[in-house]
Amino acid sequence: MTTSTHLFSPLTAVASAALLCAASLTAVPALAQTAAAVGGLATAGQAERKVIRSADQLPRRSYTLAQLPSAYLSAPLADLKSLGAQLEADIQADLAAYDIQDSATLREAYGALASLAQLRGDWAAVPAWTAKARVLQDKPAGKLTSGVLTDLLSQQQLEKRDAAWLGTEVARRYGAMNWAEVQDTVKASRGGVETFNPELMVGSFKAQLDVMAQNGKMVVPVQLAQAIVATRMQMELLGPNKAAIVAGLQQVLDANSKTVAKADIWTPRTFSIPADAKATPVLIGVWDSGVDLSLFKTGAAKGLAFTDDGQPSKDLLRPLGEAEPRWPQLRSLIKGAMDQRAALDTPDSRQFRATLGSLKADQAKGFSEDMALTGMYVHGTHVAGIAVDGNPFARVYAGTMLWSHKTEPAKPSEARSRQTAANYATLVQGFKSAGVRVVNMSWRYGPSAYEMMMAFHNLGGTPEQRKAEALRLFKIERDALNAAIAGAPEILFVAGSGNEDNSADFQEYIPAGLELPNLITAGAVDRSGSETSFSTFGKTVVVHANGFEVEAPIPGGAQMKLSGTSMASPQVANLAAKLIALKPELKPVELKALILQGAERMTGADGKPGRVNLVNPRKSAELAGIKL
C-alpha cells in the first residue's frame, strides 16, 4: 500500500518496486473485457452471474492472521497453507458468482491464483492462470511478456532444474520476442530483478503491514493477505535465481545493443513558439506537489498551497526539512532509479544498486519515506517544465498540495474530506482570480485509497461498512472537485490517467474519471507512439502523449528524465497553452475540440484502429488557423 494516496508519479513507485518487485513475476497489463471471455460462462442450472461494472460493487473480504505479516515471510511454508486455501476458495467463488467487467481486476485474480498454486506446490497449474491473464492483453509488450517469468520459475521447480537452466531459458524466451515491442519491458524487468533485496521486503512489511495487522487485531483486508502470499513466493523463487535471471536478461540486452531504436514520431509533431512571435502571455496552473517557481516566469499572483491536513501554507515548493542536507544524495538516487529502469550503467545507477543492496530491514521505512519525499519534491517542477517547454510566453501559477510522504497514512474522516472539498474550491477560485487559462493535474485517487487508509487504522467497522464509508467520504471530495471544475468554464483542465494499467472508470479515479466539457484526460505513450505498459485507460482517457523518459527540470534547475502519465498530461497542457498564446480568444471547449480533432488514432498490430489517440500539436495548430 502507499501512503501518498493522491499523487501518482514514477518516483513514488521506486521504493515499492524495489521492495516488492512484483512486476517481475505476475504483473500482466490488460484491456477491459468481460470475465466470460476468459473465465467461462455460468452453466445450466447455475444462477446467472452478477455483472460488476465498478470496483465498489465487488464484495469485501477479510482474513484473520495467525502471526504478523512479516513473520510469514520467514515461517515454514506450511504456516501459509491455511490462509492460502481461504484466499483461493474466495477468489474462485467470486469468479463463479460475478461477471467482472474489468480486466485489471481479473488479472489480479488470476495472478493471485498463480501465486496460490505456487504456494501449494502445484507448479503444473501455474501456466493455465498466466494464460488466462494473457488473453486479456492488448498492449504489444504485454501480449509477449506477461507471465513468462512466472511460468519459467514454475517450470524450473516442476522439472527440478538449476539456476543455469533458468538463465538460459530466460535468454531464449525473451530473445525470441520482437525487440521493438518488448525492449522497455525487458530493461525495466532487468533493473527490477537486479535491485531485489529480501531485507527491504521484510522491512517494508514491518513498517506498514505489521502495524496495520496489529491495529486491526490481526484481521486484515484481502489485499494484505494476497500480498503476504505473493511476496513470500517472490522471496522463495526470485531470491535464489536473481543472478541467473539478470544474466539471462542482460544477454538479451547485449544481443540487441546495436539494434536501431524505435522511430521517434512524437518530436516531429511538436513545435516551439519563436520568442519574437506575435503572441500573448498565457498563465498555466500546475496543480501538483509543489513548484520551484524561481525556474519559471510567473504572473502577479504566484499560487496557493495547502498542507496534507488541509491548512493554508506559504510553501509553494515542498520543503525538504531535515532531508535538505541529503538532497544531493537523494537526487542521485532518483536519477539512479530511472537509469536502472532503463538498464543504463551510470554512476547514479551503480550507486542506486549499491544503496538498495546494502539496506537492512530496519532501514526500509526511512528509505521508503526518503524516496517518497524526493519524488514529491521533484514532481511538480518537472511537470511545470514540460508544460512550458517551447513557449516563451508561458507563465506558471502553483496550486500546491503538500501531501504526506510518511508510511503511516492519515485517518480519514468527514471533517477531513470536507476540508479537502473546500480546498478544491479555493484552489480553483485562485486559478480563476489569477487569470489561469490551463491547469495541469498530474495526480489521481479513488475510494479504494480511503478503504486502505481506514483499514490501516481499523476504522469504519466491517469490510462492507468500511467500503460504504470510504465511498461516502470520497464522494464528498469528488463532487466538490467536479463542481469546482464545472464552475470554471473559462479554464481548460488537463488530467493524467494514472500509472496502474487499469480502468479509470472502474476504479472511479478523480480527476481522470470525470467527464466535463472543460476537462481532458491523457494517457501515456513512448516517442514511437506505443502505449506504455503502465498507462491507465478508460472511456474518459481520450488522448495520449509522450510520457516515457521525458526530460525536464527539477528543483534547482538540473534536468532529469522521468516517466509516467504525469509527464504525458503536461504535454497536452503545453499544446493548449501554445494555442492560447497564439490565439487567445480560443475557449476551453474549442481548445479541447482542436486537440481531439488533431489527434491521430493509431493502428494496432492487427491493422485496426487501437486505443491510442496520439496528440498532434502541429495538426491542432493548423486546424486553429495558426501558421507555423
Side-chain angles (χ1 to χ4, degrees), residues 78-347:
D79 288 5
L80 281 77
K81 295 295 179 68
S82 176
L83 176 62
Q86 294 176 57
L87 282 167
E88 191 161 14
D90 287 341
I91 295 171
Q92 295 279 20
D94 286 346
L95 290 173
Y98 302 109
D99 179 7
I100 302 171
Q101 305 281 306
D102 181 64
S103 65
T105 302
L106 291 170
R107 175 192 67 202
E108 291 171 4
Y110 298 141
L113 289 169
S115 292
L116 290 163
Q118 291 174 330
L119 174 62
R120 289 189 287 104
D122 189 359
W123 308 108
V126 173
W129 294 121
T130 57
K132 281 182 174 291
R134 195 172 296 117
V135 171
L136 298 170
Q137 296 293 336
D138 81 322
K139 294 179 180 178
K143 290 179 180 179
L144 296 171
T145 63
S146 69
V148 169
L149 190 52
T150 305
D151 289 350
L152 286 175
L153 286 165
S154 299
Q155 184 181 351
Q156 179 198 36
Q157 297 299 312
L158 179 66
E159 299 178 0
K160 302 187 184 310
R161 303 281 192 169
D162 59 15
W165 172 89
L166 179 63
T168 299
E169 284 301 296
V170 166
R172 183 184 69 82
R173 290 286 297 275
Y174 285 93
M177 296 176 186
N178 184 325
W179 181 244
E181 294 178 340
V182 304
Q183 58 182 285
D184 295 332
T185 300
V186 172
K187 290 175 182 178
S189 295
R190 178 200 173 280
V193 175
E194 190 172 24
T195 53
F196 175 85
N197 181 349
E199 283 278 332
L200 290 183
M201 289 182 167
V202 173
S204 178
F205 269 51
K206 287 182 176 179
Q208 286 188 293
L209 304 191
D210 283 4
V211 178
M212 186 176 183
Q214 289 169 325
N215 289 344
K217 300 183 181 355
M218 304 304 282
V219 178
V220 301
V222 63
Q223 295 94 328
L224 196 157
Q226 290 179 355
I228 291 171
V229 174
T231 304
R232 177 58 187 272
M233 296 318 301
Q234 289 171 33
M235 294 175 69
E236 290 286 321
L237 300 174
L238 189 57
N241 292 295
K242 172 181 171 179
I245 296 170
V246 170
L249 293 173
Q250 186 62 51
Q251 186 175 329
V252 178
L253 291 170
D254 292 342
N256 290 280
S257 61
K258 296 182 180 180
T259 303
V260 177
K262 291 187 288 186
D264 178 2
I265 70 170
W266 170 255
T267 303
R269 286 167 161 74
T270 64
F271 67 91
S272 296
I273 302 177
D276 60 354
K278 185 178 179 181
T280 303
V282 55
L283 193 58
I284 303 171
V286 180
W287 192 342
D288 212 286
S289 59
V291 180
D292 183 356
L293 291 176
S294 69
L295 303 178
F296 307 102
K297 298 175 184 177
T298 65
K302 301 297 190 293
L304 290 171
F306 291 96
T307 64
D308 186 58
D309 59 0
Q311 301 307 304
S313 173
K314 295 181 180 179
D315 295 315
L316 297 178
L317 173 63
R318 180 185 196 85
L320 285 173
E322 60 83 21
E324 181 74 38
R326 293 183 284 115
W327 165 236
Q329 292 78 24
L330 294 174
R331 180 180 59 197
S332 174
L333 282 175
I334 291 294
K335 184 177 183 300
M338 297 300 102
D339 289 349
Q340 182 71 7
R341 172 178 175 168
L344 298 176
D345 187 24
T346 65

Side-chain angles (χ1 to χ4, degrees), residues 543-626:
V543 292
H544 293 77
N546 178 37
F548 189 75
E549 296 185 2
V550 182
E551 189 169 65
I554 60 174
Q559 298 284 310
M560 189 176 288
K561 290 182 179 180
L562 302 179
S563 300
T565 57
S566 285
M567 286 68 244
S569 174
Q571 304 273 19
V572 180
N574 175 291
L575 169 56
K578 286 175 178 173
L579 295 177
I580 293 170
L582 295 168
K583 202 167 183 178
E585 67 273 18
L586 287 171
K587 301 185 183 306
V589 290
E590 296 170 324
L591 288 166
K592 185 174 179 178
L594 287 168
I595 293 169
L596 288 170
Q597 290 166 14
E600 177 185 355
R601 182 67 63 179
M602 307 298 286
T603 56
D606 57 3
K608 297 180 181 179
R611 188 165 60 202
V612 171
N613 195 27
L614 185 62
V615 168
N616 190 330
R618 285 185 169 274
K619 186 173 181 181
S620 290
E622 179 184 334
L623 291 170
I626 296 170

Side-chain angles (χ1 to χ4, degrees), residues 441-456:
M441 309 166 75
S442 285
W443 49 272
R444 70 94 191 96
Y445 67 103
S448 60
Y450 286 133
E451 279 192 69
M452 291 304 293
M453 293 165 72
M454 293 171 72
F456 184 94

